[in-house]
Amino acid sequence: MQIFRPGANAIATLVLASIGVIPVLAIGLAYQIVGSAYTTDQDVTRNQPVPFSHEHHVGGLGLDCRYCHASVETARFAGVPPTETCMTCHSQIWTNAEMLAPVRTSLADNKPIAWQRVNKLPSYVYFDHSIHVAKGVGCSTCHGPIHQMKLTRQAAPLTMHWCLDCHRDPAKSLRPREAVFDSEWKPPADAEKSASQLMATYHIRTDHLTDCSICHR
Amino acid sequence: MPPVNELPVKQSRISGRGTGALNRRQALGVLASGIASGLAACSKPDQQIIPYVKLPERVVPGEPLKFATTLPLSGIGRGVIVTSIDGRPIKVEGNPRHPASLGATDVFAEAAVLSLYDPDRSRTILNSGAIASREAFRQALQAHLQQVRQRGGEGFRLLTGRVTSPTLLRQIDDVLQLFPKAAWHAYEPVDEDSERDGAMLAYGRPLQIVPRLEKARVLVNLDADPLGPGPDQLRAARGFADRRTPQGEGFSRIYSIEAAPTLTGAKADHRIALHPRLISEAGIAIANSMGAEIRQAELPDHVLRVVKQAAADLSANRGGGLVLAGQALSPESHALVHWINQHLQAPVDLIDRADRTAAGREAATLAELTRDLASGAVDTLVLIGADLEFARHSAKASFRLHLGCYVDETAVLSTWHIPQTHILEAWSDLRSRDGTASLVQPLIRPLFQGWTDHEVLALLTRHADASPYDLVRETWRPKAQGGFEEWWRQALHDGVIAASAAPPITPGPPKLPNVSAVVTPSAAMTILLRPDPSLWAAGMPKAADEAGVGQFPRAQSTRSKTIRPLVRGRRHPRCRWPPDRGAHCSRARRRRRHREPYARPRPSQCRRDR
């Protein structure tokens, strides 16, 4: 009298094999999920109260980043413009546009516009814009081709791994200070040489750049 | 006829999709979906960025800004510079330009931020304990003030703490002018009665003493504690420190005769602990050595030796010797110290007190108010920032208005309690010990809809919503030299009003007081009441205590070791209860078999005992 059916052997072998394989696969899956756009919100376009188009304003009109994000060179938070900044132009252009009604309402009621944050970092991370801009990291290096975005999205994964990739070797992300706010800048042909020159010019030393307390203060 | 279903049969659970109860399969399914949805919640939470509509000048979101203001302690101001981020003050630091701060802060100034964000602060108007609206309050107040005005202010009493704010004093003048029969009382838990009466005895006018420790080569401290907690601590400490350098005019020497351990005694070169009633005898001994010819001082020999040495030191340092008397001494002792200082040409300035109005009105005392209350002469009582319990007599006043930051015992006894805006949210002005005036500017919009003391007094006089900003500007407009706007901006920027220190007065020679016969200390216990170095007085905000200010290490540890009663039986080291509470644990029961009678107290290993 057999207790187990004939197929029980196969099932037992399969189970034993999976005890070794499945945790590895599960961890691999977890890494994939955590690094995927699902978790990092990369390339996710958020609904904003006003469908602001960087493509029109930056790419089309040629506005400098600093016109709106005014504190990027002096403070750690680049700043989202107050309603007044929008109204510097839109009190005279497109004054009755339906799309700009929330802006006009905000100015009239003295209630700020609640933008949905696109580039999100957790609060245990300290990120200072001013030092990156001062050392030659361009806006579009991290924020992507802003001048082509009809609606703003997070172009980079903003994971710690991605940040460390640059912190371990900043040379490949640097550009001359004049080109920092140029979204269309491409690295020149002799990228290697100019990159190492920039490292020297901007006094960038990598020996402490990957210390924990640089970002986790 | 359809059959009557007399026996309702419960539907089978296995097929029960619509019954509302879950079967086992469904429960497992719900569990699995719960786990799956937990995994799905891995993305970043949504955040919003809310910019300004109109970005204020100089504000960079996320970056700190500093503003100069003044914070009171017992009504006396110390200038500070407060750091605020995004419109919220977070840190108080000293203002180097202000003579009462000189770049330093004390514990109470640092704790102002804690009390600002205290969740226990009063937020609403209370009418005998029930929440009321602003309109109801206004109507009740106006109705009552009508009656008061008809009587010319009879039965109206105003009780405040010490007031040095020129704007508030001006408003009090207005109120008393409007209500001629009304009276103003001031009560401060840590007050300077002896000092005031001493100056009256010596000079005939209530002058304020401003010691200049930086010029004192020899300092004799009779229970005064200039380095201890108080509104003048920072200035005194800096002056003291400036003279403790060998370079310059020479290292100072400090004699401290005191009744309790104090900071000044800790830094003194010679310190004597003496019964408080004998400290005035030391003053008599010093005065005698300068030719005062009062009666013999009754002091123990070893004390007399040191006092004679101190007196010799003082005499050898004319112009650099200083004697200070503490609050616990009698007014006669203070007058004697005035005489000594005058004789020594001590580095002391005498100025007019800051807590009197421009018209020369001074506040009456709390004792007089209690007497009036008891006799039923008071019908309207307005309490501003005073935390007192009048339980026995207060009910005799029919309208009691209390303005305070907390719903404390006084608020509970009042008919109307209105929340006060915190000093970091208000426009005002204050004077420091040496008379320097400075403006108080708000660091944050008021968190709760409250009133400042200026607004309440404006309500009493004009029934209008006068803004404290305008009131303060009105006070200082006549005193500004040159353009007022420029002067105003400079005063706000500096945190101190230039050249506003009170000019020193040279009164006539002080009278020697009639020092009565020696009061021998009785055999009974003497209690010394001193302000707590972390809490100051009872009126300190409670959040400061909860947030741990009351647990900051005190400069002098005055906690004595606990005296444990001699208890039979031995406490098990890890138990919290004394063994006489019974067999609460098996360890105790086991130990009880091996009892040892106590021969001496042992340091406790139980946490409860510490």
Side-chain angles (χ1 to χ4, degrees):
Chain A
M1 173 65 190
Q2 293 285 337
I3 305 174
F4 293 100
R5 279 177 301 178
N9 270 345
I11 293 177
T13 325
L14 196 61
V15 168
L16 279 176
S18 19
I19 286 175
V21 167
I22 288 203
V24 174
L25 285 180
I27 292 172
L29 182 66
Y31 262 100
Q32 287 299 312
I33 291 177
V34 166
S36 74
Y38 174 69
T39 315
T40 62
D41 280 348
Q42 187 177 5
D43 290 331
V44 168
T45 306
R46 305 208 153 263
N47 278 338
Q48 302 286 356
V50 181
F52 179 78
S53 162
H54 276 97
E55 188 198 27
H56 170 61
H57 290 83
V58 178
L61 299 176
L63 275 182
D64 191 274
C65 310
R66 291 165 285 183
Y67 187 78
C68 297
H69 302 286
S71 49
V72 71
E73 288 173 308
T74 52
R76 63 181 182 90
F77 178 56
V80 162
T83 314
E84 237 181 355
T85 307
C86 307
M87 295 306 284
T88 51
C89 290
H90 287 293
S91 51
Q92 297 164 49
I93 318 170
W94 297 107
T95 49
N96 288 326
E98 185 61 39
M99 206 191 282
L100 293 171
V103 182
R104 292 191 295 274
T105 326
S106 156
L107 189 72
D109 296 343
N110 205 24
K111 281 191 167 28
I113 304 174
W115 300 99
Q116 297 299 319
R117 190 169 177 188
V118 170
N119 290 285
K120 288 189 285 203
L121 278 181
S123 24
Y124 45 80
V125 175
Y126 174 80
F127 179 76
D128 186 326
H129 271 96
S130 60
I131 186 65
H132 287 78
V133 163
K135 294 289 184 179
V137 180
C139 303
S140 52
T141 308
C142 304
H143 293 292
I146 276 279
H147 61 290
Q148 289 168 351
M149 288 187 195
K150 289 191 168 66
L151 289 174
T152 322
R153 60 178 190 277
Q154 179 180 308
L158 297 185
T159 50
M160 180 170 166
H161 185 209
W162 177 82
C163 291
L164 282 181
D165 272 345
C166 177
H167 270 231
R168 287 176 176 138
D169 180 21
K172 55 186 188 341
S173 315
L174 296 179
R175 58 175 88 173
R177 270 207 199 106
E178 310 82 58
V180 161
F181 302 104
D182 182 2
S183 298
E184 296 166 28
W185 183 85
K186 294 272 180 300
D190 60 341
E192 291 280 333
K193 204 163 71 74
S194 58
S196 50
Q197 264 175 357
L198 288 172
M199 290 272 285
T201 319
Y202 296 147
H203 305 292
I204 299 177
R205 293 195 320 264
T206 53
D207 34 359
H208 291 291
L209 211 49
T210 46
D211 284 359
C212 304
S213 53
I214 292 281
C215 306
H216 296 289
R217 298 195 178 186
Chain B
M1 233 171 70
V4 174
N5 197 353
E6 286 179 338
L7 291 171
V9 172
K10 274 204 194 143
Q11 284 186 325
S12 166
R13 289 224 164 206
I14 293 169
S15 60
R17 278 256 158 207
T19 52
L22 290 176
N23 62 12
R24 247 182 311 171
R25 277 193 195 159
Q26 287 164 346
L28 280 176
V30 168
L31 187 62
S33 61
I35 296 175
S37 63
L39 282 173
C42 272
S43 54
K44 300 175 188 173
D46 285 336
Q47 288 178 33
Q48 288 184 327
I49 301 181
I50 310 207
Y52 284 89
V53 176
K54 289 187 174 58
L55 188 63
E57 271 183 52
R58 291 197 204 103
V59 168
V60 177
E63 298 297 306
L65 276 179
K66 290 185 195 264
F67 296 97
T69 181
T70 318
L71 295 174
L73 182 65
S74 284
I76 296 174
R78 292 104 76 226
V80 293
I81 293 183
V82 184
T83 308
S84 100
I85 292 191
D86 284 343
R88 296 172 186 86
I90 55 166
K91 178 71 170 71
V92 171
E93 285 155 4
N95 184 352
R97 290 181 217 227
H98 198 281
S101 160
L102 299 168
T105 49
D106 51 26
V107 154
F108 313 108
E110 300 272 353
V113 176
L114 296 172
S115 60
L116 169 67
Y117 297 119
D118 184 3
D120 289 334
R121 264 177 70 187
S122 169
R123 303 179 190 207
T124 55
I125 302 174
L126 294 175
N127 179 12
S128 300
I131 296 179
S133 67
R134 288 173 87 101
E135 287 69 39
F137 165 65
R138 267 179 205 279
Q139 281 169 13
L141 181 67
Q142 282 184 18
H144 194 83
L145 282 178
Q146 280 279 45
Q147 302 172 12
V148 171
R149 246 179 292 134
Q150 279 163 6
R151 293 193 304 252
E154 195 177 324
F156 181 92
R157 298 285 186 270
L158 174 66
L159 175 64
T160 61
R162 182 183 297 131
V163 177
T164 56
S165 155
T167 306
L168 199 62
L169 289 169
R170 182 169 70 85
Q171 287 184 290
I172 290 176
D173 253 343
D174 289 342
V175 168
L176 293 178
Q177 210 159 358
L178 195 61
F179 302 133
K181 301 199 190 125
W184 166 43
H185 302 260
Y187 172 67
E188 193 62 48
V190 185
D191 211 344
E192 298 166 344
D193 287 338
S194 305
E195 206 181 284
R196 191 185 326 218
D197 295 341
M200 278 295 286
L201 278 177
Y203 296 110
R205 17 195 309 213
L207 293 175
Q208 172 98 42
I209 190 172
V210 181
R212 304 270 175 210
L213 261 68
E214 61 274 12
K215 301 201 189 96
R217 186 92 193 273
V218 178
L219 170 66
V220 175
N221 165 40
L222 299 175
D223 206 26
D225 200 12
L227 300 181
D232 211 27
Q233 178 188 28
L234 302 168
R235 195 181 63 88
R238 175 60 66 84
F240 155 80
D242 281 345
R243 281 318 298 267
R244 292 304 257 194
T245 52
Q247 299 88 11
E249 292 149 38
F251 211 84
S252 64
R253 188 175 298 130
I254 302 184
Y255 297 84
S256 186
I257 301 170
E258 55 196 24
T262 64
L263 271 177
T264 317
K267 297 305 288 181
D269 301 299
H270 304 273
R271 183 209 177 240
I272 300 172
L274 207 54
H275 193 282
R277 297 197 190 187
L278 293 179
I279 296 180
S280 43
E281 298 297 314
I284 294 175
I286 296 175
N288 277 339
S289 75
M290 293 181 192
E293 287 164 12
I294 323 171
R295 60 171 173 78
Q296 184 84 347
E298 304 266 337
L299 284 173
D301 279 336
H302 68 282
V303 176
L304 203 54
R305 241 196 336 267
V306 180
V307 169
K308 282 203 158 59
Q309 180 188 336
D313 229 342
L314 283 171
S315 304
N317 282 291
R318 293 275 157 140
L322 174 59
V323 180
L324 290 175
Q327 285 316 306
L329 267 55
S330 63
E332 284 82 17
S333 307
H334 278 265
L336 193 61
V337 167
H338 276 291
W339 185 90
I340 296 172
N341 280 333
Q342 180 85 323
H343 195 76
L344 289 172
Q345 291 146 19
V348 147
D349 287 337
L350 291 161
I351 58 173
D352 264 327
R353 301 195 77 86
D355 52 359
R356 44 215 316 240
T357 69
R361 289 191 176 94
E362 271 197 15
T365 63
L366 181 64
E368 289 163 22
L369 176 61
T370 319
R371 191 198 58 207
D372 287 344
L373 269 173
S375 67
V378 178
D379 144 273
T380 313
L381 182 58
V382 176
L383 299 138
I384 295 188
D387 176 15
L388 293 158
E389 200 180 334
F390 285 107
R392 245 183 325 143
H393 301 301
S394 64
K396 298 189 183 154
S398 61
F399 186 89
R400 302 179 294 285
L401 170 61
H402 175 250
L403 173 74
C405 274
Y406 292 88
V407 181
D408 45 27
E409 292 85 359
T410 319
V412 163
L413 290 171
S414 311
T415 46
W416 287 95
H417 162 80
I418 55 181
Q420 186 174 18
T421 52
H422 194 267
I423 194 69
L424 283 172
E425 299 167 337
W427 280 102
S428 186
D429 45 16
L430 284 167
R431 282 196 195 270
S432 65
R433 174 54 62 86
D434 65 347
T436 309
S438 49
L439 298 171
V440 174
Q441 64 171 321
L443 269 292
I444 185 172
R445 290 173 70 151
L447 293 171
F448 313 118
Q449 284 206 324
W451 273 266
T452 53
D453 36 11
H454 301 296
E455 285 169 325
V456 168
L457 285 189
L459 271 179
L460 295 177
T461 51
R462 271 172 275 161
H463 303 279
D465 275 315
S467 83
Y469 179 67
D470 293 326
L471 286 166
V472 175
R473 281 165 69 92
E474 230 178 276
T475 311
W476 288 101
R477 205 178 286 268
K479 307 208 177 83
Q481 295 99 11
F484 177 66
E485 290 305 322
E486 272 174 41
W487 180 93
W488 177 255
R489 280 184 84 89
Q490 192 65 36
L492 282 178
H493 171 270
D494 292 344
V496 62
I497 293 175
S500 58
I505 294 174
T506 29
K511 273 183 4 192
L512 262 182
N514 175 21
V515 185
S516 53
V518 170
V519 184
T520 44
S522 65
M525 208 163 34
T526 307
I527 296 181
L528 281 178
L529 294 176
R530 285 169 186 264
D532 186 287
S534 312
L535 291 176
W536 190 236
M540 268 306 280
K542 292 162 185 58
D545 180 26
E546 283 155 18
V549 170
Q551 290 148 36
F552 284 178
R554 289 164 171 74
Q556 298 273 326
S557 170
T558 46
R559 248 188 311 188
S560 59
K561 291 198 163 54
T562 42
I563 298 170
R564 293 168 68 235
L566 297 177
V567 173
R568 286 200 61 203
R570 184 170 156 174
R571 212 173 298 222
H572 187 270
R574 264 180 270 170
C575 295
R576 292 216 220 156
W577 304 99
D580 55 353
R581 286 183 71 117
H584 54 284
C585 73
S586 56
R587 283 201 187 97
R589 266 176 264 139
R590 260 180 279 145
R591 286 280 179 175
R592 258 207 314 204
R593 292 183 219 125
H594 310 282
R595 272 193 203 174
E596 300 160 21
Y598 259 107
R600 63 184 195 287
R602 299 167 66 119
S604 166
Q605 291 162 5
C606 284
R607 278 177 291 154
R608 195 173 133 96
D609 212 19
R610 296 225 174 106

